[in-house]
């Protein structure tokens, strides 16, 4: 167990800058998820921490010790790869015990630690099988077993679930989470899937284009995204965003889009400012006539059972609305929505930065 | 119907090819079970087939066969040594070029392959001079080293192709697990390219076993030469014992056939590994 800190870390491949001076700290025992669209540099950052990639500039420290020039094997980390990278010619037992064998541990100690890991991961019946004789989920668990026998300071995961089918992915997600709660080892987990990030993380680092967009707990990112990128990246279905001009008159405020629709807004921003106006699908409430409402026309109705997803045309915009329960609405119906200004996110049109609050 | 037609065509092509390749071997076999008198009779099967020739060869009862067993052992020793040394050289080179990404590795490989543009026969004289310089002439090391030199470029190339197909993440996982490059080589790399190692080792072994020109040039002492060179000596007589020559030849052809049969599986998959992108 150990804290990890990145200090102005940068990476260039040839002349391309892939990581642009990143700094953040991971606390002892924390489950930190790096999330971002594919190609944003998550794997590169993780691989620098693992010692598989040179650090171009800045420092990375594990447990207070700068590891820039420390070999992978001396960093006391364990990594789970997307492809699992199990040794095909070794049994599950030998795969899991390989690192201990290289460290010249006693045979009896290797056996004991492999058994312990196997018990935690329910791998006991498979110890003498070869990787090719295992299912995807079992291989995934062996890869994790290989990491935990070492009892390292930090676990690294690089998209470990992307090769599994949807159902198994959900199951392994909770298994990894449970494992972390049990072992409490500092974990850095890379994924491009924001749902994985939201469900597993203690804290999330949202990356984009080699830089950090925001760091925070899942709900902080959801409730108060720092910028338009995070707002649109976190949350499923994604946040609705329209662009318009902020009108602030007396106490009330609204954003007027080019098509003439007036969207109720809260505080933040100044009169006449060009803004991006964001509201999550579950924050648009269907209302009857009478109240001040945003009028729209139903385009698509998608029931999922417990919830119904509506695609609504409001002015020129296609807006996603999530309603609880079922509905008798049909495409073509005209409806009105109420939006609580407290649930509205305003971002500067040009910079994408959040406007208070 | 269409399938039948294709098969018929294949058979029509196959039969002449089979006859074409098998006829000389059959001829050799006929000689070996015929007496000297019958050998040139032109019959398809000798009137009095005999195994006497084999007895003469095994008991070294002919002037040309005085050192048969010794020469057979020489061939075997040299072939095995060439196979083994080529494997060590090629596996080490392929590992360092493909997995450790040693600088200049590709250049070395391309230069080595370039030697194949020059027929081996043209290199024989320079090789003879080189061995003379190192004082190795008339020692079996000369032939062993020469054959390793000839076999290595291709062996390295085949192993490099096979190595390139191993996933990188295995090396990275091993590095994180604490493996040094040597441990990576021994514990992960070698086991995984074992099929290609068998193929390459067999290739080098057979190349050395069948070599005539270099063996003829680099060795001269009757007790050092390999069997093909000894067989060549048969032809120096006016009245060569053809039936014994053919018998010895047949015996000489058996080990490669056995090896090929035993490792057939690896030969095909190993030597074509990396030939096409899968
Ligand atoms: N070895 C490399 N050489 C050159 N460019 C690379 C290398 N590895 C990664 N990149 C580039 O760096 C960027 C970030 O890659 P990566 O860290 O793998 O992204 P992610 O894991 O977020 O999808 C990509 O644009 C990728 O093309
Ligand atoms: Mg990646």
């Amino acid at each position: 167990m150990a804290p990890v800190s990145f200090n102005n870390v940068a990476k260039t491949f040839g002349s391309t800058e892939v990581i642009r001076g990143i700094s953040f700290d991971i606390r002892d025992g924390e489950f930190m998820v790096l999330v971002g669209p594919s190609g944003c540099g998550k794997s590169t950052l993780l691989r620098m921490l693992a010692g598989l990639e040179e650090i171009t500039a800045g420092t990375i420290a594990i447990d207070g010790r700068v590891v820039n020039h420390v070999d992978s094997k001396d960093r006391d980390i364990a990594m789970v790869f997307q492809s699992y990278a199990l040794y095909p010619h070794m049994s599950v037992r030998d795969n899991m015990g390989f690192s201990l064998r290289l460290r010249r541990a006693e045979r009896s100690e290797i056996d004991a630690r492999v058994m312990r890991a196997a018990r935690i991961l329910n791998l006991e019946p498979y110890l003498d099988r070869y990787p090719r004789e295992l299912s995807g989920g079992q291989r995934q668990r062996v890869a994790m077993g290989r990491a935990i026998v070492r009892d390292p300071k930090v676990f690294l995961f690089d998209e470990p679930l992307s090769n599994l089918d949807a159902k198994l992915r959900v199951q392994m997600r909770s298994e990894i989470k449970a494992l972390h709660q049990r072992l409490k080892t500092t974990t850095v987990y890379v994924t491009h899937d924001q749902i994985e990030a939201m469900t597993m993380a203690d804290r999330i680092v949202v990356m984009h284009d080699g830089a950090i967009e925001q760091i925070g707990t899942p709900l902080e990112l959801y409730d108060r995204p720092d910028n338009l990128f995070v707002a649109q990246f976190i949350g499923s279905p994604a946040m609705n965003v329209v662009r318009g001009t902020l009108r602030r008159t007396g106490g009330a405020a609204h954003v007027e889009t080019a098509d003439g629709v007036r969207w109720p807004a809260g505080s933040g921003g100044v009169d006449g400012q060009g803004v991006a106006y964001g509201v999550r699908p579950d924050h648009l409430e269907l209302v009857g006539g009478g109240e001040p409402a945003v009028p729209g026309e139903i385009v698509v109705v998608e029931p999922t059972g417990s919830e119904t997803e509506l695609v609504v045309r409001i002015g020129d915009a296609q807006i996603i609305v999530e309603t609880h329960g079922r509905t008798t609405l049909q495409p073509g119906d005209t409806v009105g929505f109420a939006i609580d200004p407290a649930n509205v996110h305003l971002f500067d049109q040009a910079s994408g930065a959040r406007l208070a609050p | 119907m269409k399938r039948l037609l294709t098969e018929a065509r294949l058979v029509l092509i196959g039969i002449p090819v089979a006859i074409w390749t098998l006829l000389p071997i059959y001829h050799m076999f006929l000689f070996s079970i015929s007496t000297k008198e019958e050998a040139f009779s032109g019959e398809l099967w000798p009137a009095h087939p005999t195994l006497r020739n084999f007895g003469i060869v095994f008991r070294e009862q002919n002037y040309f066969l005085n050192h048969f067993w010794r020469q057979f052992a020489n061939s075997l020793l040299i072939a095995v040594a060439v196979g083994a040394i080529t494997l060590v050289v090629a596996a080490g080179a392929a590992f360092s070029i493909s997995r450790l990404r040693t600088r200049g590795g590709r250049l070395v490989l391309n230069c080595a392959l370039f030697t194949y543009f020059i027929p081996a026969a043209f290199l024989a004289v320079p090789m003879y001079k080189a061995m003379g310089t190192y004082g190795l002439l008339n020692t079996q090391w000369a032939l062993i080293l020469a054959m390793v030199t000839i076999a290595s470029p291709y062996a390295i190339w085949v192993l490099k192709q096979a190595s390139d197909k191993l996933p990188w993440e295995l090396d990275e996982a091993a590095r994180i697990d604490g493996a040094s490059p040597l441990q990576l080589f021994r514990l992960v790399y070698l086991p995984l390219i074992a099929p290609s190692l068998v193929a390459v080792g067999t290739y080098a072994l057979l190349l050395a076993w069948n070599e005539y020109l270099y063996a003829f040039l680099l060795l001269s002492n009757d007790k050092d030469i390999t069997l093909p060179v000894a067989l060549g000596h048969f032809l120096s007589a006016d009245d060569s014992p053809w039936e014994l020559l053919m018998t010895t030849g047949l015996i000489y052809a058996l080990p490669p056939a056995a090896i090929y049969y035993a490792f057939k599986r690896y030969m095909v998959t190993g030597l074509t590994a990396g030939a096409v992108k899968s």
Side-chain angles (χ1 to χ4, degrees):
Chain A
M1 276 191 258
V4 173
S5 63
F6 293 83
N7 196 346
N8 253 314
V9 173
K11 175 74 186 178
T12 48
F13 285 114
S15 58
T16 355
E17 194 172 23
V18 171
I19 301 289
R20 304 163 192 274
I22 279 184
S23 302
F24 67 98
D25 291 319
I26 303 172
R27 297 178 197 124
D28 186 9
E30 190 168 35
F31 197 111
M32 184 67 112
V33 174
L34 306 184
V35 71
S38 131
C40 71
K42 312 174 294 285
S43 297
T44 305
L45 195 60
L46 191 76
R47 291 165 55 80
M48 284 196 280
L49 174 56
L52 297 173
E53 213 74 79
E54 290 281 334
I55 300 165
T56 310
T59 56
I60 297 179
I62 300 175
D63 208 4
R65 177 174 70 136
V66 172
V67 293
N68 285 37
H69 300 292
V70 177
D71 260 3
S72 284
K73 66 176 195 304
D74 300 322
R75 292 189 186 193
D76 205 0
I77 45 150
M79 181 155 168
V80 176
F81 294 85
Q82 177 174 349
S83 66
Y84 316 141
L86 301 178
Y87 309 117
H89 60 296
M90 295 184 201
S91 66
V92 168
R93 186 191 303 279
D94 291 343
N95 260 286
M96 285 167 63
F98 190 60
S99 62
L100 299 175
R101 181 175 150 209
L102 292 175
R103 268 150 237 261
R104 309 202 181 289
E106 296 281 335
R107 187 75 236 178
S108 57
E109 195 203 336
I110 297 178
D111 285 343
R113 286 170 74 167
V114 168
M115 274 317 283
R116 190 180 134 252
R119 212 168 302 127
I120 294 174
L121 292 163
N122 292 322
L123 282 170
E124 285 158 301
Y126 309 111
L127 281 176
D128 292 313
R129 293 214 196 159
Y130 285 87
R132 62 174 175 278
E133 300 165 335
L134 300 176
S135 71
Q138 289 162 345
R139 285 181 205 179
Q140 168 65 57
R141 279 210 289 273
V142 175
M144 276 162 40
R146 193 167 65 179
I148 68 178
V149 285
R150 296 253 311 273
D151 196 14
K153 281 184 180 154
V154 187
F155 283 139
L156 310 180
F157 291 86
D158 192 355
E159 311 240 4
L161 305 184
S162 351
N163 286 354
L164 301 177
D165 61 52
K167 196 172 159 211
L168 206 52
R169 206 176 309 162
V170 173
Q171 184 194 331
M172 289 309 297
R173 212 154 76 188
S174 40
E175 275 193 40
I176 294 178
K177 189 102 199 264
L179 189 71
H180 176 254
Q181 267 151 17
R182 174 173 180 157
L183 301 174
K184 302 218 163 33
T185 305
T186 310
T187 300
V188 188
Y189 186 105
V190 162
T191 178
H192 66 273
D193 178 351
Q194 58 90 19
I195 298 185
E196 229 167 88
M198 292 293 280
T199 50
M200 299 176 79
D202 289 332
R203 281 197 303 156
I204 298 175
V205 176
V206 181
M207 287 178 62
H208 178 214
D209 238 352
I212 294 180
E213 294 286 348
Q214 188 173 359
I215 304 178
T217 65
L219 291 183
E220 276 167 16
L221 298 187
Y222 187 85
D223 292 339
R224 211 172 171 288
D226 271 354
N227 51 55
L228 195 54
F229 178 82
V230 176
Q232 291 185 294
F233 190 77
I234 299 288
S236 169
M239 181 186 284
N240 297 298
V241 174
V242 293
R243 286 162 202 281
T245 311
L246 182 63
R247 299 286 176 217
R248 192 171 287 293
T249 45
H254 66 262
V255 168
E256 192 173 325
T257 44
D259 50 25
V261 178
R262 295 168 154 223
W263 303 78
S267 53
V270 295
D271 188 41
Q273 187 173 5
V275 294
Y277 175 100
V279 58
R280 295 208 180 272
D282 53 341
H283 288 149
L284 289 115
E285 201 185 339
L286 271 170
V287 290
E291 292 177 60
V294 182
E297 182 193 329
I298 306 283
V299 181
V300 179
V301 179
E302 288 177 350
T304 63
S306 63
E307 311 205 323
T308 306
E309 204 172 297
L310 305 172
V311 180
V312 186
R313 190 184 338 273
I314 299 179
D316 291 338
Q318 295 262 3
I319 299 294
I320 308 287
V321 177
E322 222 173 35
T323 60
H324 297 292
R326 307 188 177 185
T327 175
T328 53
L329 287 172
Q330 297 286 327
D333 291 355
T334 34
V335 288
F337 294 98
I339 299 171
D340 181 352
N343 289 329
V344 167
H345 307 267
L346 286 184
F347 304 97
D348 180 59
Q349 170 87 283
S351 70
R354 182 182 190 86
L355 303 172
Chain B
M1 193 57 209
K2 216 172 164 171
R3 253 196 68 197
L4 213 74
L5 212 73
T6 358
E7 264 180 36
R9 257 187 239 155
L10 281 179
V11 168
L12 279 181
I13 299 168
I15 288 176
V17 170
I19 292 176
W20 180 261
T21 49
L22 287 179
L23 203 62
I25 297 175
Y26 179 69
H27 205 182
M28 194 154 107
F29 173 69
L30 272 193
F31 263 84
S32 71
I33 57 166
S34 306
T35 58
K36 192 176 178 93
E37 295 72 44
E38 275 185 334
F40 288 98
S41 66
E43 303 288 334
L44 272 181
W45 190 254
H48 309 287
T50 168
L51 291 177
R52 231 195 42 155
N53 291 333
F54 289 89
I56 296 176
V57 174
F58 289 150
R59 274 181 250 116
E60 304 185 333
Q61 285 166 338
N62 183 287
Y63 167 73
F64 291 110
L65 290 166
N66 273 340
H67 304 290
F68 171 77
W69 285 114
R70 176 69 189 259
Q71 288 155 351
F72 190 89
N74 288 341
S75 277
L76 196 67
L77 185 85
I78 288 169
V80 169
V82 169
I85 297 174
T86 303
L87 269 188
V88 172
V89 170
F95 178 71
S96 104
I97 295 170
S98 166
R99 306 313 287 186
L100 301 181
R101 298 258 168 103
T102 307
R103 278 178 145 244
R106 286 190 55 88
L107 186 71
V108 169
L109 180 60
N110 288 333
C111 289
L113 279 175
F114 185 74
T115 58
Y116 286 141
F117 284 110
I118 306 160
F122 292 0
L123 292 175
V125 172
M127 192 75 86
Y128 182 87
K129 285 217 59 149
M131 293 305 169
T133 310
Y134 293 113
L136 291 170
L137 276 183
N138 294 326
T139 71
Q140 295 185 341
W141 276 111
L143 181 55
I144 292 172
L145 293 178
M147 294 315 295
V148 168
T149 310
I150 293 170
S152 287
Y154 178 66
I156 296 172
W157 184 73
V158 169
L159 287 186
K160 185 194 169 281
Q161 297 298 314
S163 312
D164 286 348
K165 294 213 317 192
L166 297 179
W168 264 109
E169 294 187 341
L170 280 184
D171 298 45
E172 294 180 342
R175 267 170 66 193
I176 292 179
D177 271 347
S180 64
L182 232 103
Q183 285 170 319
L184 178 66
F185 178 69
R186 200 160 48 84
L187 301 173
V188 179
Y189 177 75
L190 286 186
L192 290 179
I193 57 157
S196 299
L197 289 180
V198 173
V200 162
T202 316
Y203 156 77
L205 191 148
L206 292 183
L207 192 75
W209 179 265
N210 291 329
E211 179 60 23
Y212 175 78
L213 176 63
Y214 278 75
F216 172 75
L217 272 178
L218 298 171
L219 302 173
S220 49
N221 190 329
D222 262 357
K223 290 189 174 169
D224 291 339
I225 58 175
T226 57
L227 214 44
V229 180
L231 289 180
H233 290 171
F234 272 71
L235 302 176
S236 59
D238 292 335
D239 181 23
S240 304
W242 284 97
E243 74 290 355
L244 294 181
L245 175 63
M246 291 299 155
T247 309
T248 319
L250 193 67
I251 296 168
Y252 195 67
L254 289 181
I259 290 175
Y260 180 77
Y261 192 78
F263 295 132
K264 195 169 58 184
R265 204 157 51 91
Y266 299 105
M267 293 296 283
V268 177
T269 57
L271 290 181
T272 56
V276 286
K277 270 222 151 69
S278 57

